[in-house]
Amino acid sequence: MASPDWQRILGVRFFDGAAPDAVDYITCVGGYTVVPAAPALVKIENDPAYRRALVEADLAIADSGFMVLLWRLLRRRTIARISGLKYLRILLANPRLHERGNIFLVLPHESSLEKALAWLRHEGFEIASDDCYIAPMYFSRSHGSVSREERERVSQRRGYSIDDDTLVAIIEARKPKHVIVGIGGGTQEKLGLYLREHLSYRPAIHCIGAALAFLTGDQKPIPMWADRMYLGWFLRLARAPHHYARRFAPAFRLPGMIWRYGSELPEIKGESSEERKQKE
């Protein structure tokens, strides 16, 4: 296929094209897709493992309407917005994915699994419960009672903070062509990187967060008109203001970051000049 267009925003290489082309690209080359929301994107300054997962992603799509708007206002440049919801709808519209064994789901809890199976079967997918995996709480399993500071040192040293040999073994045995990861932003990207580096083959790994939950009813759906108008975040905030106000608050750091860094990768906060020189 033709080489796609890209734009770097805060050091992350974002796909600049149509949603069907993005899906075709990752299906063809394999690797993992990331869909960073604005509150998660700002973590690129203080979470080395997340930073690496975004920078090394095989495909990043500009799901954040807030980021797209800031890019236009502050940098006078435009980039095609592709919502995670639209991306997932296009992916699942492929009839080949309906065949047994072509998709594998990584989900946050049992109720997510039950709703995903019910919805996918209703849509004509041949999928069983053993085509799904409930992700553990990775920090608690991998690091036990280790302090936050120690976890961050491990994250910096190894470049990722997730270990899941069990999941790798299951995927290796089943060899699905597509792995859909629907766990929280900030964690799923690290898992995507981990899987790409530990699997013996190269499936398309789609780290799409809540998009699947919107389709299956695990979260209240976002109407397509709201998605097109960049208002998905507003509907979520209106439905649960106390919950989402706290989650969305970090996004207000994004204007300053885009103004200061533009296409460049921000410095890691708290990193000494000596540490930066060693990396260079």
Side-chain angles (χ1 to χ4, degrees), residues 247-269:
R247 287 184 58 183
F248 291 162
F252 289 102
R253 289 167 46 199
L254 193 58
M257 291 173 65
I258 288 180
W259 175 258
R260 181 178 179 184
Y261 296 107
S263 61
E264 300 299 317
L265 185 65
E267 297 176 356
I268 287 282
K269 286 188 174 180

Side-chain angles (χ1 to χ4, degrees), residues 104-111 113 132-136 138 164 183:
F104 187 89
L105 308 181
V106 180
L107 301 167
H109 42 68
E110 188 69 34
S111 65
L113 184 152
C132 306
Y133 178 80
I134 298 176
Y138 286 107
D164 199 336
I183 60 178

Side-chain angles (χ1 to χ4, degrees), residues 8-14 41-42 44 51 54-55 67 71 254 256-266:
R8 287 196 182 273
I9 301 176
L10 299 180
V12 179
R13 189 185 69 158
F14 283 93
L41 184 58
V42 298
I44 204 168
R51 174 190 183 95
L54 289 192
V55 170
M67 183 194 75
W71 193 239
L254 193 58
M257 291 173 65
I258 288 180
W259 175 258
R260 181 178 179 184
Y261 296 107
S263 61
E264 300 299 317
L265 185 65

